[in-house]
Amino acid sequence: MEAKAFPMNGGDGAYSYTKNSQFQRASLNAAKDMIKEAIAENFDITCLNSDTIRMADLGCSAGPNTFIAMQNVLEAIVDSNQSSKEFQVFFSDHVSNDFNTLFTSLPPDRHYFAAGVPGSFHGRLFPKSSLHLVHSSSALHWLSEVPEELLDKSSVSWNKGRIHYTSASEQVATAYATQFAKDMDIFFSSRADEIAAGGMMILIMPALPDEVHHSKLPVGVPIPFLEQSLTEMVKAGSITEAQVDAFNLPVYAPTPTEMTRLVERNGCFKIERIELIDPRAKFDGPLDITTLIMHYRAGLEGILTKHFGSEIIDELFERTMNKLSSEISSQDEASDRKGSHLFLVLKRK
């Protein structure tokens, strides 16, 4: 399977991921102590038959968050093992990722050898048993592709007039969940081949609390407003109805129960820790609507531009920001407090 690429905005301009990824950084900060505990309790490098500890960050984007993540992991390993082993870090993302910005921003005082690995994590990226620790944050919610039935007019899952499952029918949500399960089967099988016995995987990703309906997805609050803005632009003649009907966001946030079931079905990893976390407590800066919209634009502008064209982007996000400012409810805010991200620690059997 060849996964489709949906890269974040590259460079370091006003709408770049580099300048607008504070929410993802907050997830890393919220999990820092948990990562340290997990490595201290479950990662014994003396049992690994290698003089070099090889780590990979999957879905690294263009930085700087990936450097923070890898530094956190490396420090945790050194603190808990007091070893003189060398470290190699593989930064991996789709071939269309902005690796130029990534590697020109590498920390000069890093204590690891760096390498880039282009390709999708929905498939093999490394030789068998070559990795000791895999990390991925704010990346696994991206699907390899949009479920085909969402675009099929004869299907009960045809998502006419909508761009995601958060405001759609149960059939549409099920189609998303099914695609996510397929993707994760491939992801876990690929990592099982690549991670040596005793190695670890640390995953941080947007999630839905088990007791919350998909329409209240914590990190999905802006999506219905983006959808409404597109509908208004159809009426204004800026885009066509057919264009909206043919567009769906390829992102899905699982529940802890879903992820537990998928890990257990694969059978190659033992769950050492799984819990919801709320990154907002670690957010560095004001949590305002403008920051939120810039965050979404950095992540979604590429896929929106590819489908609708670049000329609508400014208007689309301006409309969406105005809607969010006037219509966001206290209920949406409260749902985010239930825990918007999943922290998962797996050990290779």
Side-chain angles (χ1 to χ4, degrees), residues 223-262:
I223 293 177
F225 299 106
L226 186 68
E227 187 177 273
Q228 292 169 23
S229 298
L230 287 169
T231 300
E232 288 180 356
M233 294 173 74
V234 169
K235 294 178 181 178
S238 303
I239 56 177
T240 67
E241 183 179 357
Q243 282 180 297
V244 176
D245 290 345
F247 179 80
N248 290 276
L249 290 172
V251 294
Y252 181 80
T255 65
T257 297
E258 279 181 282
M259 285 300 289
T260 298
R261 184 172 61 248
L262 291 170

Side-chain angles (χ1 to χ4, degrees), residues 221-222 225 289 292 322-333:
V221 170
F225 299 106
I289 299 300
L292 182 62
N322 290 337
K323 289 182 178 300
L324 268 170
S325 300
S326 61
E327 298 180 39
I328 193 167
S329 70
S330 59
Q331 183 178 2
D332 291 324
E333 288 289 340

Side-chain angles (χ1 to χ4, degrees), residues 134-137 140 184 187-188 201-205 259 342-346:
V134 167
H135 174 276
S136 182
S137 181
L140 278 181
M184 292 310 298
F187 177 84
F188 286 131
M201 185 151 56
I202 299 171
L203 308 176
I204 307 168
M205 61 190 302
M259 285 300 289
L342 187 67
F343 177 77
L344 182 60
V345 177
L346 307 177

Side-chain angles (χ1 to χ4, degrees), residues 188 262-270 348-349:
F188 286 131
L262 291 170
V263 173
E264 292 176 346
R265 185 167 74 182
N266 173 263
C268 295
F269 295 93
K270 177 186 176 185
R348 182 69 170 94
K349 294 180 179 177

Side-chain angles (χ1 to χ4, degrees), residues 273-284:
R273 187 168 183 174
I274 180 169
E275 63 183 273
L276 290 169
I277 58 175
D278 181 7
R280 294 194 312 170
K282 297 292 185 179
F283 187 79
D284 184 17

Side-chain angles (χ1 to χ4, degrees), residues 150-171:
L150 302 185
L151 307 178
D152 183 357
K153 294 182 180 180
S154 65
S155 171
V156 295
S157 300
W158 184 33
N159 206 22
K160 177 175 174 56
R162 303 192 183 279
I163 64 170
H164 199 232
Y165 67 90
T166 44
S167 58
S169 67
E170 294 296 329
Q171 291 92 338

Side-chain angles (χ1 to χ4, degrees), residues 69-102:
M70 290 297 92
Q71 186 62 30
N72 290 345
V73 170
L74 191 149
E75 288 178 357
I77 294 174
V78 172
D79 288 347
S80 62
N81 289 273
Q82 296 299 318
S83 173
S84 59
K85 291 181 182 287
E86 294 186 313
F87 294 88
Q88 184 172 24
V89 174
F90 297 100
F91 296 96
S92 181
D93 212 315
H94 283 282
V95 295
S96 53
N97 182 58
D98 185 3
F99 283 102
N100 285 334
T101 294
L102 177 74

